[in-house]
Amino acid sequence: MPKVTKAILPVAGLGTRFLPATKAIPKEMLPIIDKPLVEYAVEEAVLAGIKEIIFITSHTKRSIEDHFNRNYDLEEKLNQAGKKESLKKINREIFKDITFTYIKQKSQKGLGDAILQAKHLIKDELFAILLADDLILNNPSSIEQLINVSMENKCSVIGLSKVNHDDIKKYGVISSLEINADQNLFWLDDIVEKPRDNPPSDLAVFGRYVLSHNIFKYLENLDPGINGEIQLTDAIRLMLSDYPVAGYLYEGKKFDCGSKEGYVNAITYLAKDILDN
Ligand code: G1P
């Protein structure tokens, strides 16, 4: 089975919860201390063996492209000043052989529509999706865990997290009758996007997926779902009738940085190391 080498990062969202900070800066570029949020997700993907990062972006997100491009002026100045450590930070060795591709999503029609924009770049293969808003700190990383499970079981795998009853309506939620509890592996029999009432479980989709290319068949003709958006969850639900999909409950510290609370918690958590030293 071919390795998972491509990752899609949808970054076209408006970031209205962080206005006015996100008026001129994409929410993915907000810093978690000294590194933008999006770089955590890119780093996670690259360290898990991903070779091509496909951003689904919009015309207001130019600075994400700038961030992953070389900045020769700054490199030259840092070089002249002998600032080797700073140079390593802006021109990271691990990103040297990575292909960065940018696709503009014409209108914001939802996560499913964003993923569909990359159809022509995905062949007959499994590919990763990372939602940069969800910062997950663990080793091995969450996407590496999902890639391993998907290669072992030769199927699509969705990252899961246990979420409390009051918050579960903000997420995609799975139901599963067949559980391999030792491995934290759940075979899905259903999945619902943002259930208004009666969530099928406390297991929420949390920011990471490894999906089969078959998902595009279901995305292509999908009607808008909740909030009038083309939902990736709805396509996964349709795919379930034809292909097995697993959910994997991964360990690790998780922060929903799409919310102010999660963003502040992430910074506070990582700041401890700085304050303790
Ligand atoms: C998206 C997905 C949802 C998932 C969530 C967190 O929702 O549609 O299924 O649970 O990310 O990863 P959003 O937060 O974009 O509304």
Side-chain angles (χ1 to χ4, degrees), residues 17 111 131 133-134 170-173 193-194 204-209 231-233:
R17 275 185 275 183
L111 179 58
L131 307 184
D133 276 2
D134 294 321
K170 298 179 198 158
Y171 295 89
V173 185
E193 182 65 14
K194 303 188 174 66
V205 178
F206 202 83
R208 304 289 182 271
Y209 310 71
Q231 298 289 355
L232 179 60
T233 299

Side-chain angles (χ1 to χ4, degrees), residues 218-229:
Y218 305 94
L219 279 172
E220 259 164 345
N221 299 308
L222 204 60
D223 290 328
I226 197 147
N227 300 335
E229 295 179 348

Side-chain angles (χ1 to χ4, degrees), residues 178-195:
E178 200 187 330
I179 302 168
N180 185 342
D182 283 354
Q183 292 179 29
N184 295 336
L185 193 66
F186 299 78
W187 292 102
L188 267 63
D189 41 52
D190 203 1
I191 183 165
V192 192
E193 182 65 14
K194 303 188 174 66

